[in-house]
Amino acid sequence: MKRALVPGTFDPVTEGHLDIIRRAAKLFDEVVVAVAASAGKGPSGPLFSLDERVSLVEQSVGGLSNVSAVPFEGLLVDLARSTQATAVVKGLRAITDFEYEFQMAAVNFELSPEVETVFIMSPPQYMYLSSSIVRELAQLGGDFGRFVPDCVAQALAEKFAE
Ligand code: PNS
């Protein structure tokens, strides 16, 4: 039984993330989407609470029977150990992702060499897509609907109507 983690902040989950999660779900028996608290991210932290981000991932992957979502704080390799996951799957977009992802994979390898990091290339249509771009479009009234599942589009609309 091969279990993989797909970690990230998912603030919020996008179609780009979902593409990677779906493809990981074909490669592994079980995929656990690990939603990081990432409290220190940005000046005021993530836009969505940890519970909201987990719930949006759960709603978005509802049709995939071998995918679940969990919140986590602390080290990713500790979560891998406690969930008995043997792989970490990350999406790679443009070359700009590489250095950051390379660093994280190297640190995780130092900490826990038995956990393999696997990269899946983003498809061309999502190469430029990020949660921060989606948040900015939502905040400034741009059309972001095609970049996120319906539940996320609704949650963003509600967030910025507040
Ligand atoms: O979506 P993101 O923000 O690029 O995800 C980054 C994340 C959450 C995967 C990364 O920051 C992470 O793994 N955080 C957990 C802390 C950790 O294990 N740090 C050591 C590896 S550098």
Side-chain angles (χ1 to χ4, degrees):
M1 231 283 287
K2 293 276 180 206
R3 181 175 292 132
L5 299 179
V6 179
T9 303
F10 302 107
D11 187 34
V13 65
T14 67
E15 290 293 349
H17 295 129
L18 292 169
D19 176 83
I20 302 298
I21 293 166
R22 285 187 200 107
R23 288 159 68 194
K26 288 185 191 159
L27 293 174
F28 293 91
D29 299 307
E30 239 181 77
V31 166
V32 178
V33 182
V35 183
S38 297
K41 224 176 175 184
S44 52
L47 174 65
F48 289 96
S49 72
L50 185 54
D51 283 351
E52 287 172 325
R53 285 179 280 134
V54 171
S55 166
L56 289 171
V57 171
E58 280 172 343
Q59 292 173 58
S60 310
V61 299
L64 298 168
S65 59
N66 63 336
V67 180
S68 59
V70 295
F72 85 102
E73 262 180 295
L75 288 176
L76 185 63
V77 290
D78 288 340
L79 181 71
R81 217 168 278 136
S82 66
T83 56
Q84 292 167 337
T86 52
V88 168
V89 176
K90 302 285 318 256
L92 262 191
R93 292 167 301 187
I95 195 91
T96 43
D97 274 348
F98 183 78
E99 192 149 348
Y100 173 64
E101 294 296 345
F102 178 79
Q103 188 182 25
M104 276 199 290
V107 171
N108 287 336
F109 184 79
E110 278 298 317
L111 296 175
S112 189
E114 68 279 5
V115 178
E116 202 64 67
T117 300
V118 176
F119 291 104
I120 295 182
M121 292 301 297
S122 281
Q125 74 265 34
Y126 300 136
M127 279 284 171
Y128 57 90
L129 183 57
S130 66
S131 296
S132 56
I133 288 286
V134 166
R135 290 196 304 272
E136 188 161 329
L137 285 174
Q139 187 172 14
L140 301 176
D143 179 10
F144 58 87
R146 65 185 176 284
F147 303 132
V148 292
D150 288 348
C151 60
V152 171
Q154 198 179 326
L156 278 165
E158 283 165 17
K159 202 52 106 177
F160 287 109
E162 276 171 15

